Amino acid sequence: MDWINALIMGIVQGLAEYLPISSSGHLEICRELLGLDLSGAESLEFDVMLHVATVLSTIVVLWREFLPLCTSFFTFKGDRNFFYVIKILVSCVPVAVVGLFFKDTIEGFFGGGLGIVGICLCVTAALLTFSYFFRTREINRSTNVNSYRGREITMLDAFIIGCAQAVAVLPGLSRSGSTIATGLLLGDRRDQVAQFSFFMVIIPILGEALLDLKDIIGGESVSHASIGWMPMLIGFIASFVVGCIACKWMLEIVKRGKLVWFAVYCLIVGVICIVTAY
């Protein structure tokens, strides 16, 4: 992989991790378009770097909210922030179960390629569309439209949103799209559900990165020389910088309720992928 391909992949990861268009699906599309023939080990190393970069961008963009959460949780304050972290941990349970016990089975059953990516992108489009029209109908039915904001995220909501995140391990099924749409369908506040979605992915991504790092160190993967340190660095920086921009952008998009336009995009790209594959 040369530096220009690494730059493109980093930009795509930074955008697609936060926008509801599926980062895994778009990375697969990029590999096809760029003609990248990476081995499983090379792809593993590079994807780990890109995902860690987007986690760091989340922490940087939301640091004013992130630091109080850490302080409250690790000092056992028992305040609002402490229980917010508990909700995040509850949301991580489903994806932890899937990742530890069923990930290989799911990947083996569904496989990869543009076909499954296209189908999952169409599912993402349907979910975003349904959440948009459902939420709009609820607002219109409210006796006071201006005061309709939704409710606080509950423990049960956190678990259900976590189940949506667990299902989104499929390439092409957007994690952010699935979790945000699920939160909106549950009636949670727009200004909270996007932030919660971005926070809840930190633990799973870092956990998966540590497991992948264990495989790399254990000899199950090749060394970093297989890709080269320069493409790895460029991909990391690109993913981090673009991720910071996309994170801020997505927070505003969710507040304004404009997710339906991403549904149109996912449908178009999904159909193109299906036609190309079959």
Side-chain angles (χ1 to χ4, degrees), residues 24-74:
S24 60
H26 276 71
L27 288 178
E28 183 67 29
I29 293 172
C30 274
R31 292 188 185 99
E32 293 286 339
L33 292 177
L34 297 174
L36 297 178
D37 186 21
L38 299 177
S39 67
E42 292 172 330
S43 179
L44 173 67
E45 292 180 352
F46 192 66
D47 287 354
V48 167
M49 292 292 290
L50 296 184
H51 282 87
V52 170
T54 50
V55 164
L56 291 178
S57 65
T58 299
I59 296 174
V60 168
V61 171
L62 298 173
W63 70 271
R64 288 187 178 88
E65 294 81 9
F66 182 76
L67 289 181
L69 293 177
C70 293
T71 301
S72 293
F73 181 73
F74 290 110

Side-chain angles (χ1 to χ4, degrees), residues 103-178:
K103 182 179 179 181
D104 293 338
T105 303
I106 293 174
E107 290 178 347
F109 181 78
F110 287 96
L114 293 182
I116 186 64
V117 169
I119 294 172
C120 289
L121 280 173
C122 290
V123 173
T124 298
L127 181 60
L128 292 174
T129 302
F130 182 70
S131 67
Y132 171 78
F133 286 107
F134 176 84
R135 190 59 178 265
T136 301
R137 186 189 67 179
E138 291 300 307
I139 293 175
N140 291 335
R141 289 175 58 185
S142 176
T143 56
N144 188 345
V145 176
N146 293 327
S147 66
Y148 184 87
R149 300 180 64 189
R151 66 182 186 188
E152 299 284 332
I153 297 173
T154 65
M155 290 289 181
L156 180 59
D157 290 347
F159 181 78
I160 296 174
I161 295 172
C163 291
Q165 177 173 248
V167 174
V169 297
L170 299 175
L173 191 57
S174 170
R175 187 208 63 82
S176 62
S178 298

